[in-house]
Structures are given as C-alpha cells and as structure tokens.
Amino acid sequence: FYNLGYNSIDVKKTIYTLITIFFEREWEIKKLYTLDFLEKELSEVQESLDSVQSLFYRNKFKDSLKNIIGIINKNEQFASQKVVTFKGNLENLLENTNLKKLLKCKTYFDKDSIEEVSGFKGFINKILNSANTPVPKLEDSFQHIKNIFKPNITPFIELTNRTIVLSFISLFLKYLEVYEKRKRQMGYLDFSDLEGLAYGLLGGTKFDRDYFYFRIDTRIKHLLIDEFQDTSIIQWSILEPLVDEIFSE
C-alpha cells in the first residue's frame, strides 16, 4: 500500500472489510486461486505496473512538468488559488509518481488544452497582457504531459487495483492455512466447512446424488430462498439440482 501511494489508507479497516467479503466467497477463492498461481500473477502484474509507471518518470515528462511549474512561479502574481493548487499537484507528481497523485491530476489532462483547466484562461490572458509571453511553451508542455498521461492512466489504475486484489487474496489464502490448521487442532467446523462437506458429499461418487435429490423433492413443492442475492456459488451448486427437479414437474 505504501509503494502504491496509499500510505494514508486505514489498512486495518480495509483488511477487515476485504477479509469479511473473502470469507463469504471462501469456496470460490480456494477453487480459483493457489498461492503459487498468485505469486506468479503478482510478479507479472508488478512487472507491467513498473513498465507503465516508468513512463511517468521519463526526463521529457518531468521536464514538461518543470516547465509548467516554472511558468506559474514566474507569473505567480497572476495565479488564482486554482492555478496554485494545480501547480502543487504537479509538484507532488514530480516528487514521486503514484496512483493517488496521478488521480489528482487526471481531470486536468482530460482537457483538450491548458486553457480549459479551471483558472487558466484568466491566468493566460493576464500573462499575455504583461511583458511575459510564454503561452506556447505552456501549451506545448501541457500537450506533452497529456499525450503520456491520457493513454496510460487507465492501464496504471487497472494494474494497481489488480495488484491490491491479488495481494489481499494471497494474504487471505495464507491466513486460511493457519486458520484451517487451528480448526483441525481444536476439532472445530465453521459454516463454510459445512457447505464444503455438503457439496463434496453430494458431488462425490460414493453417494447417490440423484436419489438423494429425488427423495427430498418428494417432500418439497415450494422453495423459498431468503436474501437470494447473497447466495454464494457453492450454496447455489447444492440447491440447483433441487430447483431443477421442482421445475421439471
């Protein structure tokens, strides 16, 4: 999180929230991911992330940032608070590029020209009316930053988010290893274990699954599933044959 620029995040709250969600989807996660797979994926994603991030560290990109900052500093008497804020965000970007800082600048470089950035039309007019006339240089620097920024910010966001999710899933699977070991030592089962055992039993070869569902179906004509939107894949996998049997009549 610190490397990705989320140093101010409430890590404890984030972990608690995600771990709670992961527990609700434990069966699907264990089915989809292994620690070896996640380690390989994280390595590949990190490599791609580093490649995209390096675009924002190139000398020409930094030079363009410095040009705009320099022009604003030279004409600070004309700068409104919005222009000063713009300059501050560019200075932060110059100091260290991360997702949090890039996102603060995203709306600036969605504009077609620097004049469209809030506060700059008046700023540029005041410069033109003074002895200083660095407007073409200002626009050229803006366009250079935009040409790097706009096509690469979305991949950067996606790769960053993927890194976060894969990292948390990896943490969750490592936690599960400890958790499962502790449960076995104490002889405990949790609700997820009951779901997994039920699914394993009904999906195994030592149990007549069709006969079991047929016998249940003779007693059930209606099925009410409360809070269906929260039904997990494993829960639905257990219920689906019963639902199919009811609808086949």
Side-chain angles (χ1 to χ4, degrees):
F1 270 104
Y2 278 89
N3 290 338
L4 294 168
Y6 280 93
N7 48 307
S8 62
I9 199 168
D10 186 339
V11 177
K12 184 177 179 181
K13 183 178 178 181
T14 303
I15 290 176
Y16 176 80
T17 302
L18 284 176
I19 291 295
T20 302
I21 294 169
F22 287 165
F23 261 121
E24 293 171 357
R25 296 290 180 262
E26 177 186 339
W27 184 77
E28 295 99 301
I29 290 172
K30 287 194 292 188
K31 193 173 181 181
L32 287 171
Y33 298 105
T34 64
L35 283 170
D36 288 341
F37 169 81
L38 286 169
E39 188 176 332
K40 183 173 179 293
E41 277 286 294
L42 273 169
S43 176
E44 291 175 0
V45 170
Q46 188 62 53
E47 189 176 324
S48 299
L49 185 61
D50 291 342
S51 176
V52 173
Q53 191 169 17
S54 69
L55 295 170
F56 299 105
Y57 282 107
R58 290 180 179 175
N59 287 336
K60 285 186 177 179
F61 184 82
K62 288 196 168 187
D63 288 344
S64 295
L65 290 173
K66 289 175 183 176
N67 285 339
I68 294 176
I69 292 167
I71 291 169
I72 295 172
N73 284 336
K74 188 177 178 181
N75 299 276
E76 60 183 351
Q77 71 273 25
F78 305 130
S80 66
Q81 185 56 49
K82 288 180 179 179
V83 173
V84 172
T85 300
F86 173 89
K87 184 193 79 166
N89 285 330
L90 293 196
E91 286 172 337
N92 287 334
L93 200 58
L94 187 61
E95 180 186 330
N96 179 30
T97 306
N98 59 47
L99 181 60
K100 191 175 180 181
K101 292 177 180 179
L102 285 169
L103 287 177
K104 278 191 174 181
C105 297
K106 184 177 183 299
T107 54
Y108 301 145
F109 300 107
D110 282 338
K111 308 295 185 185
D112 290 330
S113 70
I114 197 165
E115 274 195 70
E116 294 181 16
V117 177
S118 183
F120 268 88
K121 192 168 185 178
F123 178 66
I124 290 170
N125 286 335
K126 288 175 182 176
I127 292 175
L128 289 172
N129 292 330
S130 70
N132 300 317
T133 55
V135 178
K137 190 177 180 182
L138 186 67
E139 184 61 37
D140 288 346
S141 296
F142 179 85
Q143 290 299 329
H144 183 264
I145 295 170
K146 178 185 171 180
N147 289 337
I148 295 174
F149 198 99
K150 203 163 184 179
N152 293 298
I153 184 63
T154 298
F156 189 84
I157 292 169
E158 289 174 350
L159 287 165
T160 300
N161 288 337
R162 184 157 176 75
T163 301
I164 292 169
V165 172
L166 290 175
S167 298
F168 267 111
I169 293 175
S170 179
L171 174 66
F172 179 66
L173 289 180
K174 289 174 182 177
Y175 171 78
L176 276 183
E177 286 185 351
V178 178
Y179 179 61
E180 296 289 344
K181 183 179 179 181
R182 184 62 176 157
K183 281 193 297 182
R184 286 194 298 272
Q185 288 173 343
M186 301 181 70
Y188 287 170
L189 293 173
D190 62 16
F191 190 71
S192 180
D193 293 323
L194 300 180
E195 291 176 341
L197 290 169
Y199 179 79
L201 180 65
L202 296 171
T205 57
K206 296 181 180 179
F207 189 82
D208 191 340
R209 171 177 170 163
D210 292 336
Y211 178 71
F212 172 77
Y213 281 112
F214 171 74
R215 287 299 303 270
I216 289 183
D217 182 50
T218 59
R219 304 177 189 181
I220 298 174
K221 296 301 177 187
H222 302 282
L223 190 63
L224 173 64
I225 303 174
D226 189 29
E227 300 289 343
F228 181 74
Q229 73 276 6
D230 295 328
T231 303
S232 67
I233 291 176
I234 188 171
Q235 290 168 348
W236 178 244
S237 298
I238 295 168
L239 290 169
E240 188 176 18
L242 182 58
V243 175
D244 289 342
E245 190 68 33
I246 292 172
F247 276 96
S248 68
E249 295 180 358

